[in-house]
Amino acid sequence: MREYEEIRRFLNEQGRDLLQSGPLSELPRKRRQDLFNGDAATIWLVRDVEDGNAIIAHLSVHWRQTMRRKVGTIENLLVHPRVRCEGVGRMLMAHTIAHARTVGCDRLELVSELHRIRARALYDKFGFQRVGKSDCHFQLDLK
């Protein structure tokens, strides 16, 4: 579970603006195993091989099947500040959308705070639409 600790540290250090409710606390061992071993989530990491294989970007998608559709909820798209605006977030999002289609996902959802202007611009480029009157909830219909 070394990778879990590494991801948690990356999100806590680089995602202070993302984690409005405070730092991520440690998950109990069983929940960590479910996160990494089940079909309920997909986690992508981008690493910098020239910097000791350090994480420079992270995106997780949590899958659920409803009575009508398969939905993916994107959580924690985060790119290290030193590589922002270099296409890493765009690559992660494109890969996520392609994977969602491959696994039969009908819709992707995410929440993005108002102050995350560059992230929201990225979501717009990929066709995410605001949900109802919400300023923070977005979805992309894939079917």
Side-chain angles (χ1 to χ4, degrees):
M1 291 296 161
R2 190 183 114 260
E3 196 166 63
Y4 165 77
E5 285 301 323
E6 190 179 4
I7 292 168
R8 190 169 73 94
R9 187 174 44 256
F10 174 74
L11 292 173
N12 283 335
E13 290 171 1
Q14 303 302 326
R16 288 184 197 97
D17 67 323
L18 181 67
L19 303 170
Q20 296 289 315
S21 60
L24 294 173
S25 57
E26 186 169 345
L27 286 175
R29 183 172 189 75
K30 171 71 171 115
R31 290 186 57 204
R32 276 185 275 162
Q33 290 172 335
D34 291 346
L35 185 63
F36 283 95
N37 297 329
D39 293 333
T42 303
I43 298 172
W44 283 285
L45 302 174
V46 179
R47 295 180 178 275
D48 185 346
V49 294
E50 295 176 3
D51 185 18
N53 221 22
I55 297 173
I56 57 172
H58 169 273
L59 185 147
S60 61
V61 185
H62 301 270
W63 310 102
R64 71 183 187 282
Q65 180 67 52
T66 70
M67 294 296 282
R68 297 180 185 268
R69 63 184 54 92
K70 184 171 185 174
V71 179
T73 302
I74 296 172
E75 288 191 351
N76 303 326
L77 169 56
L78 183 63
V79 178
H80 193 286
R82 73 179 159 81
V83 293
R84 287 184 185 157
C85 299
E86 293 183 14
V88 176
R90 185 173 46 252
M91 181 267 310
L92 271 173
M93 186 59 72
H95 187 74
T96 298
I97 292 169
H99 180 73
R101 286 189 168 111
T102 300
V103 299
C105 184
D106 300 291
R107 176 181 292 160
L108 287 171
E109 303 172 337
L110 59 87
V111 174
S112 183
E113 300 297 329
L114 291 171
H115 68 278
R116 301 193 71 227
I117 296 166
R118 285 188 285 185
R120 292 165 71 100
L122 176 70
Y123 307 144
D124 285 342
K125 287 179 186 175
F126 278 98
F128 281 84
Q129 303 291 316
R130 283 195 176 96
V131 177
K133 295 180 182 180
S134 173
D135 286 331
C136 297
H137 295 85
F138 295 83
Q139 69 184 30
L140 177 65
D141 288 317
L142 300 174
K143 298 284 179 170

